[in-house]
Amino acid sequence: MHLGVIGYGNITRALLDVLASEGQTPERVTLLVRPAQAEAARASGAEVVTEAAALIAAGPDLIVECAGHSAVVETVVPALLSGVECVVVSIGALADANLHHAVTEAARKGGTRVVLPAGAIGGVDLLAALKPSGIDSVVYTSRKPPLAWKGTPAEGLLDLPALTEPATFFTGNAREAALAYPKNANVAATLALAGLGFEATRVEMVADPSVSQNIHEYRVTSGAADYAMHIEGKPSPDNPKTSLATVYSVAREVMNRRNEVAI
């Protein structure tokens, strides 16, 4: 497999480490990075390019986006148009209805598909499967330590370091959450796309000094089954806003394209 990866941040480095530890290092890896990151990226042993066109021209079998919302516009859309299957980690970018349409149309015209991994949560397969049965409600709560919300609009609403009890600072729908908290609402967007859509998926965000992990909770009621999920994701050591489970979810998508049996 020739794997293309957009970005060389925490998720990319951890992804390459997981693949290596599982004996699943691709035969060829091409990284698309900013010029300032090129030297560090080359130390990984991968091929390095600094322009989207160069990544596409390299001819990867699969591209994984690990670089934020702008990368979906700048690289994923043209890659899909070129017929390259893409795994998108920054799922919250699709809260932008115009971009969601552009990605869908690019995949259709390119005769390929865009894959949205489950990321930090589980049960997305069941949620998507229940959709034809009629989903009545999806309610998601994101509960994180106060400092995990640093650098977000929550800082203007709460004195994060001084919190002594849980504080709910956002209540709304998944589109509002994903647009206002783009680095923290990928789970909300994933649930919305798998289930009721952005407007009907309810979201709460909580800064909770009593927890040390990123906690994802959601409840689904539908015509075929009702269920609830509670996941205590361990934060990445390099970025507390990212759950380690996200890295393993993306690694699974890559390995499922290399293994004889995919699950």
Side-chain angles (χ1 to χ4, degrees):
M1 170 187 271
H2 178 189
L3 177 66
V5 185
I6 307 169
Y8 192 63
N10 172 57
I11 293 178
T12 296
R13 292 191 295 271
L15 169 64
L16 296 178
D17 287 344
V18 170
L19 293 175
S21 70
E22 294 297 308
Q24 295 272 11
T25 299
E27 289 77 14
R28 183 180 174 192
V29 177
T30 302
L31 303 177
L32 171 60
V33 303
R34 299 187 186 93
Q37 295 178 302
E39 184 175 350
R42 289 191 186 97
S44 70
E47 301 171 27
V48 175
V49 297
T50 57
E51 296 181 355
L55 174 62
I56 296 168
D61 301 305
L62 177 71
I63 290 177
V64 177
E65 173 277 314
C66 303
H69 292 196
S70 62
V72 180
V73 178
E74 297 166 3
T75 307
V76 170
V77 170
L80 291 169
L81 284 169
S82 297
V84 183
E85 182 179 6
C86 294
V87 175
V88 171
V89 175
S90 303
I91 297 173
L94 302 183
D96 180 329
N98 291 330
L99 180 56
H100 187 190
H101 177 73
V103 166
T104 303
E105 281 299 293
R108 182 184 64 80
K109 291 177 181 177
T112 186
R113 64 177 188 161
V114 58
V115 177
L116 308 180
I121 56 169
V124 178
D125 55 341
L126 179 57
L127 175 58
L130 293 175
K131 197 170 183 177
S133 78
I135 297 173
D136 299 313
S137 67
V138 179
V139 180
Y140 164 62
T141 300
S142 175
R143 188 181 305 274
K144 298 183 181 183
L147 293 184
W149 297 107
K150 190 175 180 180
T152 77
E155 280 191 307
L157 302 172
L158 301 171
D159 184 353
L160 294 173
L163 285 179
T164 58
E165 59 185 28
T168 300
F169 60 86
F170 176 89
T171 301
N173 65 41
R175 193 179 305 280
E176 294 165 340
L179 294 176
Y181 294 84
K183 295 183 179 180
N184 295 270
N186 282 332
V187 169
T190 302
L191 292 173
L193 289 163
L196 278 175
F198 282 98
E199 272 69 35
T201 301
R202 307 306 302 169
V203 177
E204 291 184 347
M205 296 183 179
V206 182
D208 189 343
S210 70
V211 303
S212 59
Q213 298 175 329
N214 298 339
I215 297 177
H216 305 283
E217 301 170 315
Y218 71 96
R219 180 174 294 276
V220 175
T221 59
S222 77
D226 300 337
Y227 73 99
M229 296 289 291
H230 175 99
I231 300 168
E232 298 183 10
K234 297 181 179 180
S236 167
D238 297 328
N239 183 356
K241 295 183 178 68
T242 299
S243 292
L244 276 176
T246 297
V247 175
Y248 288 92
S249 174
V250 177
R252 170 182 168 270
E253 291 292 345
V254 176
M255 290 188 290
N256 269 348
R257 284 156 181 76
R258 293 169 58 83
N259 294 338
E260 291 77 11
V261 178
I263 188 169

